[in-house]
């Protein structure tokens, strides 16, 4: 966890293209609130997407297993090292903060850029027990405290060694604040952070599916699960190769993995259509018997059931597909080094729509189910047993819980990507989270 009250926090302003910073930005020390306002103004007024990069001391306890490690010669690590080295020559603040070689870098990407990654990919998750808090692996749930002082880092050198993603770091046209042109650094940080986020979703879905299938003993669902989980190896290898600026080959098996994922997404689409049709056939404004509901949604009234397994299989397919889309976008961007960020976001945007529609559709079904009123089972007996009453109450509670935490059309937030850098220049990129 970062303690923002302990020290001055250097912050870079990173551009993804040649642009100008509004004169409003200023050059002096800022509070956290002022930095947040600056990000909002830059997102609205700048011609090109502008990110900010903060540098903090590396926390004592850090679960590196949640992130994606990259060695010192990877494009992301090289671009980060280049930025740090160049700015440290001209900025005592940056030099002092990065002297130890071990730091935690926090990049915040504007919401309008984050929207390219998919509406449901990174959205706020409310923290239990903290009013207005957001759950995150490193950031204090209460947010950045006001006592922190953020100091803009001076301009970097205008030239840097090309490597990795292809472009160099330099200085863009600016207003009153230093603005470093760092499209490759932003692109690679976004790619790895989003990939790590999607992989975390995959791991969560795998845990849920495994538990459900142990209860169900459904061979067909088990086969679906195995085929999807078998895609992980090819995707992991492709991720490692691309993020080290390698070339993908047929031997990786990525094509067959994509086919299996697309097949699973097709099954999820068909199930979604059936669920919507079943809900449309229910009488409006009337209570529904459990038996009627479970015909179309088997096991919806229980902790484990086919319906819930189908939900988790869809979540797994979505998470895997999001990782594949990021890989395809990185490959596309690296093939056009003169136009990195625009190529990257275009490739992402084209392929996200289907995933967004599927995810929103499933969320809509869950919300509709959670609002249903359950009726007592019909029968000749005027009195029901305590067991029947208990089942009805449990089923009502479980069905109403389906809507917990579901957002049909989530508001896209700024995205934070946290990068731990070691003395040898290697990095670990953690899952993207709401800023």
């Amino acid at each position: 966890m970062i303690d923002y009250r302990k020290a001055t926090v250097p912050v870079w302003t990173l551009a993804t293209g040649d642009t100008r910073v509004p004169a409003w930005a200023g050059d002096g020390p800022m509070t956290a609130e002022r930095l947040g306002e600056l990000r909002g103004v830059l997102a609205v007024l700048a011609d090109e997407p502008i990110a900010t990069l903060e540098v903090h001391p590396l926390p004592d306890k850090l679960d590196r297993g949640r992130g994606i490690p990259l060695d010192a010669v990877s494009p992301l690590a090289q671009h980060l090292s280049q930025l740090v080295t160049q700015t440290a020559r001209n900025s005592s603040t940056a030099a002092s903060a990065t002297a130890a070689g071990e730091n935690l870098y926090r990049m915040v990407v504007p919401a309008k850029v984050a929207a390219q990654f998919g509406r449901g990919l990174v959205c706020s998750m409310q923290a239990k027990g903290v009013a207005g808090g957001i759950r995150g692996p490193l950031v204090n749930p209460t947010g950045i405290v006001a006592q922190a002082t953020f100091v803009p880092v001076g301009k970097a050198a205008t030239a840097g060694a090309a490597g990795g993603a292809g472009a160099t770091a330099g200085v863009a046209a600016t207003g009153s604040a230093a603005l470093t042109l760092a499209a490759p650094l932003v692109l690679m940080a976004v790619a790895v952070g989003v990939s790590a986020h999607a992989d975390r979703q995959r791991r969560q879905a795998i845990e849920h599916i495994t538990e459900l299938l142990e209860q169900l003993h459904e061979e067909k669902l088990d086969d679906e699960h195995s085929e999807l989980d078998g895609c992980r190896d090819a995707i992991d290898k492709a991720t490692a190769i691309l993020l080290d600026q390698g070339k993908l080959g047929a031997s990786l098996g990525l094509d067959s993995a994509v086919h299996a994922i697309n097949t699973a997404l097709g099954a999820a689409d068909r199930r979604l259509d059936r669920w919507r049709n079943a809900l449309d056939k229910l009488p409006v404004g009337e209570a529904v018997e459990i038996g009627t509901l479970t015909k179309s949604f088997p096991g919806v009234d229980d902790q484990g059931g086919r319906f819930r397994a189908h939900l988790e299989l869809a979540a797994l397919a979505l998470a895997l597909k999001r990782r594949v889309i990021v890989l395809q976008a990185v490959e596309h961007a690296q093939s056009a080094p003169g136009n990195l960020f625009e190529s990257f976001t275009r490739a992402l945007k084209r392929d996200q729509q289907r995933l967004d529609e599927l995810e929103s559709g499933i969320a809509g079904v869950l919300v509709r189910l959670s609002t249903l009123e359950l009726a007592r089972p019909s029968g000749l007996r005027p009195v029901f047993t305590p067991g029947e009453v208990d089942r009805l109450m449990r089923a009502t509670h479980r069905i109403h819980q389906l809507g917990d935490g579901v957002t049909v059309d989530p508001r896209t937030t700024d995205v934070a990507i946290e990068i731990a850098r070691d003395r040898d220049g290697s990095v670990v990129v953690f899952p993207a989270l709401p800023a």
Side-chain angles (χ1 to χ4, degrees):
M1 182 181 296
I2 304 169
D3 187 347
Y4 290 92
R5 294 168 292 187
K6 286 184 177 180
T8 297
V9 178
V11 56
W12 286 267
T13 311
L14 306 179
T16 56
D18 193 5
T19 187
R20 296 189 66 85
V21 176
W24 178 88
D27 296 307
M30 298 176 285
T31 62
E33 289 80 4
R34 181 73 168 174
L35 179 59
E37 292 173 0
L38 171 62
R39 289 189 184 114
V41 170
L42 293 177
V44 173
L45 299 181
D47 296 329
E48 301 286 345
I50 293 178
T52 58
L53 181 69
E54 308 158 16
V55 56
H56 303 268
L58 198 64
D60 295 331
K61 296 181 179 180
L62 197 58
D63 181 9
R64 295 170 181 266
R66 294 180 299 100
I68 294 179
L70 299 173
D71 61 32
V73 298
S74 65
L76 173 58
Q78 286 185 342
H79 285 297
L80 183 58
S81 295
Q82 174 188 331
L83 177 70
V84 171
T85 301
Q86 291 179 350
T87 51
R89 294 172 186 163
N90 305 314
S91 169
S92 59
T93 302
S96 175
T98 59
E102 292 183 333
N103 293 99
L104 182 73
Y105 294 84
R106 185 171 188 263
M107 182 182 292
V108 179
V109 182
K112 69 179 183 181
V113 176
Q116 309 292 341
F117 313 146
R119 291 177 299 170
L121 183 57
V122 181
C123 56
S124 299
M125 298 175 62
Q126 295 301 316
K128 294 182 179 179
V130 181
I134 292 176
R135 215 183 318 168
L138 297 175
V139 180
N140 189 315
T142 58
I144 300 174
V145 296
Q147 292 91 332
T149 301
F150 292 83
V151 178
V153 176
K155 294 181 180 181
T158 57
T168 61
V171 177
T174 65
S176 60
L179 185 64
T180 302
L181 185 58
L185 176 58
V186 178
L187 180 147
M188 297 306 294
V190 167
V192 187
V194 171
S195 185
H197 179 88
D199 191 55
R200 183 175 63 179
Q201 292 180 319
R202 178 198 63 80
R203 289 196 298 267
Q204 291 172 344
I206 287 288
E207 291 173 4
H208 296 154
I209 293 171
T210 301
E211 183 179 344
L212 288 169
L213 294 184
E214 285 176 354
Q215 301 173 35
L216 286 172
H217 303 292
E218 291 263 2
E219 288 188 9
K220 289 184 178 180
L221 293 181
D222 194 53
D223 289 343
E224 281 189 53
H225 172 218
S226 298
E227 190 166 6
L228 276 175
D229 197 30
C231 300
R232 183 188 63 177
D233 186 59
I235 292 175
D236 285 347
K237 284 187 174 67
T239 301
I241 289 173
L242 269 183
L243 296 182
D244 285 335
Q245 207 189 8
K247 297 293 183 182
L248 298 182
S251 61
L252 287 176
L254 192 60
D255 288 347
S256 59
V258 170
H259 174 73
I261 295 167
N262 288 340
T263 300
L265 288 172
D269 275 326
R270 291 190 296 273
R271 287 163 182 159
L272 176 59
D273 287 339
R274 289 200 297 267
W275 296 337
R276 282 172 166 165
N277 291 335
L279 287 170
D280 290 341
K281 292 177 182 178
L282 296 177
V284 179
E286 296 182 18
V288 182
E289 289 188 18
I290 296 178
T292 301
L293 199 60
T294 54
K295 286 180 181 177
S296 300
F297 304 90
V300 70
D301 58 331
D302 202 351
Q303 290 287 13
R306 243 188 308 154
F307 173 66
R308 294 176 189 265
H310 288 161
L311 290 176
E312 296 300 338
L313 285 168
L316 176 57
L318 282 164
L320 291 169
K321 184 65 173 179
R322 290 198 189 280
R323 287 198 73 187
V324 169
I325 289 175
V326 171
L327 289 177
Q328 292 169 335
V330 171
E331 186 177 27
H332 180 69
Q334 288 182 343
S335 67
N339 191 18
L340 282 176
F341 205 82
E342 290 184 5
S343 298
F344 178 74
T345 52
R346 266 200 308 270
L348 281 173
K349 187 176 181 179
R350 280 197 301 267
D351 294 327
Q352 290 293 350
Q353 187 174 0
R354 180 190 175 193
L355 301 187
D356 290 340
E357 290 174 354
L358 176 58
E359 198 164 44
S360 294
I362 292 173
V365 166
L366 294 177
V367 169
R368 289 176 68 182
L369 281 170
S370 69
T371 60
L372 292 177
E373 179 185 353
L374 294 186
R376 298 187 307 171
S378 58
L380 299 176
R381 292 180 300 156
V383 179
F384 295 93
T385 66
E388 290 172 329
V389 174
D390 287 344
R391 184 196 174 198
L392 179 62
M393 293 180 66
R394 285 196 304 271
T396 300
H397 177 67
R398 286 167 180 162
I399 290 173
H400 287 173
Q401 279 185 319
L402 290 172
D404 291 351
V406 173
T407 306
V408 178
D409 191 10
R411 178 179 61 88
T412 305
T413 68
D414 288 354
V415 170
I417 299 160
E418 288 161 342
I419 306 168
R421 182 175 184 266
D422 293 322
R423 284 190 177 89
D424 63 359
S426 62
V427 298
V428 176
V429 185
F430 296 94
L433 69 155

